Amino acid sequence: MLPRRSTLSVLVFLVPPLVLYGIAVLLPIVQSLFLSLFSWDGITDMAFVGLDNYVKMLTRDDVFWTSFGNALGYLAICLVLQLGGALLVAGLLTALPRARELVKTLYLLPAVISTVAIAILFQRLYALEPVGLINQLLAWIGLGDLQTAWLSNVQTVLAAVSIPEGWRFTGLYMLIIYAALMAVPRDLEEAARLDGASWWQIFWRIRFPYIRPVWITTTVMATTFALRGFDIPYLLTNGGPGQSSELLTTYMYKTAFVHTDYGYASAISMFIVVECLVAVGLIFLLLRRKDKS
């Protein structure tokens, strides 16, 4: 459909990033798929085991299923904080008459702060001895009985490691959604207000349909990032106490580099890849159904 010269220009610009993507993303996936069919400790010769690593993972490994359940809980909390918070703040920013740039910058700061710094910050916030800010606030408002070691309590640790991740990227997604909201035609909103539409009707019938493509892209980003979340949970708890905050990513890391079972760790990594693909497929499937309806 393009002139020959334009087609050549497109290829010249597309080929280098595609090659880089293949080397950096596709090649490691293929290598992991190959390694998942073997038993290997990184030193001795590899032993071919076929699908045994996958059978073990799905039928004989309780820690794997615990990690999978924790990963889903981690995903749910991150999505609520990141997408819900981003949409709320972006909507408020569109009505803010001044200081928008300052607010956007403040919300975006966590995305550029070092992960280690964020982990240390939340360790201090959650601390019981010495008393951290969260427990201190509970004491100030008369809820001292709710004070706990948030990262050592099996009832609270999963939420405690999920909140920093949600807080970290809310500003990034807020900026994306804010840009989409600013592109919504204002004349349509004014016409709806003149017709007596409520703020909810304006949002649901006018604003959200316009930002739906951006919303779906943001949802895909947030979902895949959360399913691959590793650094903050690992730094805060290393999967503990017990396996109460163990995620598939932290379990895969420890299987590979602590237990030196690289074949089984590769099988877990392939499950994470498939999990992300299924999640993205479900998101697009739900979008298609909504568009048809």
Side-chain angles (χ1 to χ4, degrees):
M1 296 177 63
L2 294 173
R4 183 173 180 180
R5 181 175 297 178
S6 299
T7 303
L8 181 61
S9 300
V10 170
L11 290 176
V12 168
F13 283 102
L14 279 181
V15 168
L18 287 176
V19 171
L20 182 62
Y21 177 80
I23 295 174
V25 178
L26 299 181
L27 182 59
I29 291 176
V30 173
Q31 289 177 325
S32 295
L33 178 60
F34 173 78
L35 191 57
S36 69
L37 303 177
F38 292 82
S39 176
W40 186 46
D41 60 5
I43 299 175
T44 59
D45 293 336
M46 293 189 297
F48 181 77
V49 295
L51 298 178
D52 185 65
N53 284 324
Y54 294 97
V55 173
K56 173 186 174 182
M57 178 179 67
L58 297 174
T59 62
R60 304 196 302 268
D61 191 349
D62 293 335
V63 178
F64 168 80
W65 288 111
T66 300
S67 303
F68 177 65
N70 290 340
L72 294 182
Y74 181 85
L75 170 66
I77 296 173
C78 287
L79 289 183
V80 169
L81 292 176
Q82 292 174 353
L83 298 181
L87 185 60
L88 176 63
V89 175
L92 293 175
L93 271 180
T94 59
L96 192 67
R98 59 184 62 183
R100 289 182 182 178
E101 299 303 321
L102 176 61
V103 175
K104 287 190 290 183
T105 301
L106 291 176
Y107 269 94
L108 191 60
L109 276 179
V112 299
I113 297 176
S114 166
T115 302
V116 177
I118 292 175
I120 294 174
L121 170 65
F122 275 86
Q123 281 179 340
R124 299 293 186 268
L125 291 175
Y126 289 138
L128 185 60
E129 276 300 329
V131 178
L133 179 60
I134 294 177
N135 286 318
Q136 188 64 62
L137 288 174
L138 290 174
W140 286 343
I141 62 177
L143 298 176
D145 293 339
L146 297 180
Q147 290 182 333
T148 185
W150 300 94
L151 295 176
S152 301
N153 187 336
V154 296
Q155 303 298 326
T156 61
V157 64
L158 184 60
V161 299
S162 304
I163 289 173
E165 183 76 12
W167 170 77
R168 180 185 182 189
F169 289 112
T170 297
L172 176 63
Y173 300 135
M174 175 274 296
L175 200 61
I176 297 172
I177 295 173
Y178 170 77
L181 287 174
M182 293 301 293
V184 177
R186 297 300 174 216
D187 54 344
L188 293 179
E189 295 185 15
E190 292 298 330
R193 289 191 183 95
L194 292 175
D195 289 337
S198 64
W199 69 269
W200 171 252
Q201 290 172 323
I202 292 174
F203 170 79
W204 187 247
R205 298 295 183 183
I206 298 176
R207 285 189 166 191
F208 194 75
Y210 266 88
I211 70 169
R212 178 173 289 177
V214 175
W215 176 258
I216 294 301
T217 302
T218 307
T219 303
V220 170
M221 292 172 58
T223 300
T224 53
F225 286 171
L227 290 175
R228 295 181 287 116
F230 167 79
D231 43 6
I232 290 180
Y234 183 79
L235 290 169
L236 285 176
T237 64
N238 195 21
Q243 283 86 40
S244 53
S245 64
E246 192 81 86
L247 305 179
L248 289 175
T249 49
T250 58
Y251 184 46
M252 175 194 68
Y253 177 86
K254 288 189 281 189
T255 301
F257 299 106
V258 176
H259 304 293
T260 62
D261 191 348
Y262 294 100
Y264 189 51
S266 297
I268 298 174
S269 71
M270 292 308 304
F271 182 88
I272 296 173
V273 171
V274 173
E275 181 185 40
C276 291
L277 293 175
V278 169
V280 172
L282 289 175
I283 292 171
F284 280 106
L285 180 62
L286 292 175
L287 172 65
R288 182 174 298 178
R289 286 184 176 179
K290 286 185 178 180
D291 286 340
K292 289 181 178 180
S293 61

